[in-house]
Amino acid sequence: MRVERLDHLVLTVTDLPATLNFYTQVCGMSPVVFADDRHGLTFGDQRINLHIWGSEFEPRAALATPGSADLCFLVDSTPEQVLARLAELEVPVEHGPVDKVGATGPIRSVYVRDPDGNLIELATPAVSARPGGAGAAGRDDVKGGIDGDVPTGRSGPRRSRPHPQG
């Protein structure tokens, strides 16, 4: 068996309307309601399912926690257009634009936080990483973290802790 692609992921959120507003207005995603009043967001052929903290659907993550995600979305805009849109919507920029290495090659990224504090990376593929470009960088140089640093390699169980906003 080999995984082919991601179908959906789940974000645990504290404020459903604020989350829907952020991802539709800032990221251009489409809200969806499915299967007995469950909520999500679609983009391309992917979906983000939204669970409300304290009322998660089963099965769920062992430590479903708002604000614990770090997600990178490829966008159809230049970094300058991303910055202009964020300024128009009064969304603070956490970091960037900066050059990074994405899953398929070089990207230029701008970082923001969603209403729960999840780190959201809005990335534009470099010309060589776009379809029809000169090719993507190999994966040997991929590093994690906001500054391209190597992950800490922490292991073991993590304790659940109260969300900072509640």
Side-chain angles (χ1 to χ4, degrees), residues 36-142:
D36 298 327
D37 201 33
R38 293 183 62 180
H39 293 268
L41 296 150
T42 61
F43 59 100
D45 60 357
Q46 285 83 41
R47 185 174 68 212
I48 299 173
N49 292 349
L50 303 172
H51 288 189
I52 299 172
W53 193 42
S55 301
E56 296 88 354
F57 292 92
E58 295 290 342
R60 65 180 178 95
L63 297 174
T65 307
S68 64
D70 181 341
L71 304 171
C72 178
F73 297 109
L74 298 177
V75 299
D76 63 355
S77 304
T78 66
E80 295 75 23
Q81 291 168 325
V82 170
L83 291 171
R85 178 70 178 156
L86 295 172
E88 176 185 325
L89 296 171
E90 299 180 355
V91 175
V93 173
E94 181 89 8
H95 189 64
V98 292
D99 294 323
K100 295 292 180 176
V101 178
T104 60
I107 56 178
R108 186 126 176 100
S109 300
V110 174
Y111 293 83
V112 298
R113 299 236 177 229
D114 77 0
D116 284 300
N118 294 303
L119 185 64
I120 305 301
E121 182 177 354
L122 304 170
T124 302
V127 174
S128 63
R130 293 183 184 157
R139 294 183 182 218
D140 292 340
D141 58 350
V142 174

Side-chain angles (χ1 to χ4, degrees), residues 126-159:
V127 174
S128 63
R130 293 183 184 157
R139 294 183 182 218
D140 292 340
D141 58 350
V142 174
K143 296 180 181 177
I146 193 168
D147 294 315
D149 53 342
V150 178
T152 62
R154 276 188 268 171
S155 62
R158 299 215 171 112
R159 293 209 157 93

